Amino acid sequence: MSHLGNIARDVKNVNHLIQFHAQIIHHCLHHQSYWIATLLGHCGRFRAPLAYARQLFDSVPHPNVLLFTCMLKLYSQFGAHDDVISLFGRMQSSGVRPDAFVFPTVIKSAGKLGVGVQAHVLKLGYDSDRYIRNAVMDMYAKHGPIEVARKVFDEMPEKAIADWNSMVSGYWKWGDEVEARRVFDMMPERNIISWTAMVSGYSKCSDLDNARRFFEEMPIRSVVSWNAMLSGYVQNGLAEEGLRLFEEMMDAGVQPDETTWVTVISSCSAHGDLRLAESLVGSLDRRAIEMNCFVRTALLDMYAKCGSLETARKIFDEMTVRNPVSWNAMISAYARNGDLMLAREFFDKMPEKNVISWNSMIAGYAQNGQSATAVELFKEMSTTKNMKPDEVTVVSVVSACGHLGTLELGRWVVDFIARNKIQLSISGYNSLIFMYSRCGSMEEAKRVFHDMPSRDIVSYNSLIAGFAAHGHGFEAFDLMSKMQEEGIKPDRITFIGVLTACSHAGLSEEGHWIFESIEHPEVDHYACMVDLLGRAGELDEAKRLVDKMPMKPHAGVYGALLNACRIHRCVELGELAAGQLFELEPENSGNYILLSNIYASVGRWEDVEGVRKAMREKGVKKTTGYSWVEFNKKIHRFIAGDQSHERTEEIYGVLAELGKRMRELGYMADKSCVLRDVEEEEKEEMVGTHSEKLAIGFGLVVSEVGAVIRVVKNLRVCGDCHLAIKMISKLVGREIVVRDNNRFHRFKDGECSCKDYW
Ligand code: ZN
Ligand code: ZN
């Protein structure tokens, strides 16, 4: 077999390895542990795929201790710690007695559970073996208690450098700077690892002077030492220092590795500073550094994050070899920039999409107001072979469902999460609270909140915002108290939520207390307070608050005032607020409409006409009002007078029948006057076919008897529709939930939860 030995020595890459394997099979030696163990050694050296190595291992019917050891080491080398443990289990159950070489590997992989393996070691009498001792000590140094590690260390008759180094890094890991330093000083001979441990130790506790001192004193440095110093600067926010060190490193002729590149380039990306990025690229150019696909991708990502998409695109186009990371960097760069067409172009062209590609694209749609497309793309992803959505995916989709107000779709995604056993973190649960709240199901939102393993401030704020939109003032109030009891301090968002809830629920006095309790109220809190006073009819008080605000009021403040003037038909103050709003947000048609509503409510038709004329002259475009209903996981959207839906005839039939019954009960369509929204349609007969009415008609046609009908509208619900929906809820004996751009209206038995103030 000596020629096989020669072949074994000549293996230089994976291809040689495979040829060697073929030779072994040819000589029928592939059932022998020795030869397969030799092959496994090569697998580790040339980083052959683990699956291939395992196949080699499995070709031996009765592997011996040597072969087990080789396979265990290979798993350990690739970080497959679970496989180490399960293979060790198999080794024990197959009766192969582990030798001293096996244990260090197994203890290292077992992490905290290494204590159990240690007991096994004691039983076999290997506990005096120095490699095993080091592994045991290292385990305690890494996972604690560090005192036990120290005890093992002190009891060692002879200490190798590895033992000293384990102690030094152990003390740094547990934040014991003094003891780390003491052990380092006691060391008889120090190597690069010891010095580097000191550099990264001091860097981690932000003592960069000492880190640099140790770095300078190092007798020799490896790329790992340079990286430690580099990430010390970068992680402490000193990007420019880091860049200078990088130049020194290049001048010293040290070849950067992947960690170096990631550290340097991502520090430029994190700062979003194009100047920093250009100076890095400049120094790479000057030194004519050879850049591989990995580095180029990092650079293009850096340019994209520094806002220079053109340069990023140029780098991408010039790359001859691209990996999925390069593609994903471009997709997420365009998506972040709101350029979804280009993002989608790259997404569609990408040869092998991975989960990150899908996530970037879905998040891109979700974050740029294209929730429906985000959901559609998720449906496609969920049926794509070998593609497993993760928490990032479902958080985007769940939030998109919240924005859309599509409860059925939302529940379907929740089901998907459970079926696919996707683990949710706090932010995952928070997105569920948001979704259920925005879909009008506070019961489910509350249930998620209560069932969460732990909560953060966002969990509280999301539920409070839900209560606010539903006008559940007391519940919002209670939740804020509960949160304080649990030691979480309310932030500005909490206060906005609770103030809005008080306002929507008419809890004037409680709102005052809250406002008084805010240490430094911000402009948004003032806006909430103006809204609260205004709704309660205390318009003079609201105006006084605006006048004495310590900061300049923003559109939200005047908007609240103007809406209050609409509710209470107060022309003079309304004109004043509208005047300010026309300057602050000249494009917003809603302000013109509110003012014209106010004029209409007191019969000042000439002024109504005047507002319309002003809109025309200034070229202010009316926002189209639309409403939608979810049915069979699809969104059915209507505009006023819409006849495009395939079930138009039935919808209009239902509405005509209801209209007849409503008129018998004394309903008169509010065609001409009070609170008519100009935005919807100027033709008066259109009042009967406003988008929310059509959506409800569709809901009645398709839903089961007695089911809740849920409608979402992009604008405020108009007065006539509000009155009509109240009557419809009574006539058909249904609960109808309408989410408009301001709050939820829950219609039941002829009443609305907003008590007619919205
Ligand atoms: Zn309407
Ligand atoms: Zn209402």
Side-chain angles (χ1 to χ4, degrees), residues 722 745 747 752 754:
H722 198 270
H745 300 263
F747 298 91
C752 178
C754 76

Side-chain angles (χ1 to χ4, degrees), residues 435-626:
M435 183 272 286
Y436 283 129
S437 303
R438 297 290 289 156
C439 290
S441 176
M442 288 312 291
E443 287 312 310
E444 279 162 292
K446 279 191 271 186
R447 206 195 59 225
V448 173
F449 181 85
H450 287 296
D451 292 350
M452 280 172 84
S454 60
R455 307 177 188 99
D456 61 10
I457 191 161
V458 181
S459 329
Y460 282 93
N461 288 351
S462 306
L463 195 59
I464 288 175
F467 287 141
H470 285 81
H472 298 174
F474 285 117
E475 292 188 83
F477 204 76
D478 280 351
L479 193 59
M480 187 172 82
S481 317
K482 194 169 161 246
M483 135 182 204
Q484 284 165 314
E485 278 163 30
E486 290 190 10
I488 302 180
K489 219 178 141 207
D491 64 3
R492 53 179 298 270
I493 311 273
T494 320
F495 286 123
I496 293 173
V498 180
L499 285 175
T500 308
C502 288
S503 176
H504 283 166
L507 302 178
S508 205
E509 206 175 319
E510 288 80 355
H512 272 100
W513 297 340
I514 305 262
F515 186 71
E516 293 304 325
S517 77
I518 304 175
E519 242 171 275
H520 302 289
E522 291 172 19
V523 64
D524 290 328
H525 302 124
Y526 278 96
C528 291
M529 221 33 215
V530 170
D531 190 65
L532 184 133
L533 291 166
R535 275 175 208 277
E538 298 176 47
L539 287 166
D540 293 338
E541 192 61 34
K543 169 74 167 53
R544 260 198 296 280
L545 187 65
V546 175
D547 289 339
K548 69 171 206 209
M549 278 173 66
M551 67 288 278
K552 206 173 166 337
H554 63 16
V557 175
Y558 288 115
L561 198 58
L562 183 61
N563 192 39
C565 294
R566 174 190 65 89
I567 297 172
H568 299 287
R569 305 184 185 188
C570 178
V571 179
E572 210 175 312
L573 193 54
E575 283 173 333
L576 187 143
Q580 295 287 336
L581 285 165
F582 294 157
E583 298 211 343
L584 286 168
E585 30 175 50
E587 302 288 309
N588 186 343
S589 61
N591 300 323
Y592 289 88
I593 285 140
L594 275 175
L595 183 60
S596 88
N597 284 168
I598 295 173
Y599 286 136
S601 69
V602 294
R604 284 170 59 169
W605 304 111
E606 277 174 30
D607 290 314
V608 171
E609 198 42 55
V611 173
R612 287 191 193 189
K613 208 171 139 227
M615 275 179 89
R616 268 196 303 273
E617 279 168 8
K618 290 183 191 166
V620 178
K621 293 247 165 38
K622 288 178 292 178
T623 314
T624 313
Y626 44 85

Side-chain angles (χ1 to χ4, degrees), residues 319-367:
M319 284 168 82
T320 44
V321 186
R322 300 179 188 117
N323 62 21
V325 185
S326 338
W327 285 92
N328 288 341
M330 290 310 294
I331 294 171
S332 59
Y334 283 124
R336 257 199 319 272
N337 213 32
D339 196 338
L340 295 166
M341 299 276 273
L342 272 172
R344 185 59 184 256
E345 204 182 300
F346 273 77
F347 179 79
D348 288 337
K349 266 198 281 186
M350 183 171 175
E352 276 177 50
K353 301 179 194 47
N354 58 22
V355 66
I356 298 171
S357 333
W358 286 89
N359 287 354
S360 312
M361 201 60 231
I362 290 173
Y365 285 125
Q367 285 158 14

Side-chain angles (χ1 to χ4, degrees), residues 17-58:
L17 171 69
I18 292 167
Q19 284 162 19
F20 180 36
H21 185 200
Q23 283 290 316
I24 287 174
I25 294 173
H26 178 74
H27 289 90
C28 291
L29 295 170
H30 54 286
H31 297 316
Q32 290 190 6
S33 289
Y34 171 78
W35 290 106
I36 299 300
T38 312
L39 280 170
L40 289 187
H42 288 311
C43 285
R45 221 159 296 141
F46 306 114
R47 302 192 75 86
L50 268 182
Y52 172 70
R54 181 61 192 240
Q55 231 178 348
L56 291 174
F57 177 85
D58 286 336

Side-chain angles (χ1 to χ4, degrees), residues 22 202 249 271 290 403 467 482 485 507 574 585 588 643 686 744:
Y202 279 117
M249 176 177 178
H271 283 256
E290 189 64 37
H403 284 294
F467 287 141
K482 194 169 161 246
E485 278 163 30
L507 302 178
E585 30 175 50
N588 186 343
Q643 305 211 348
M686 281 295 186
F744 278 89

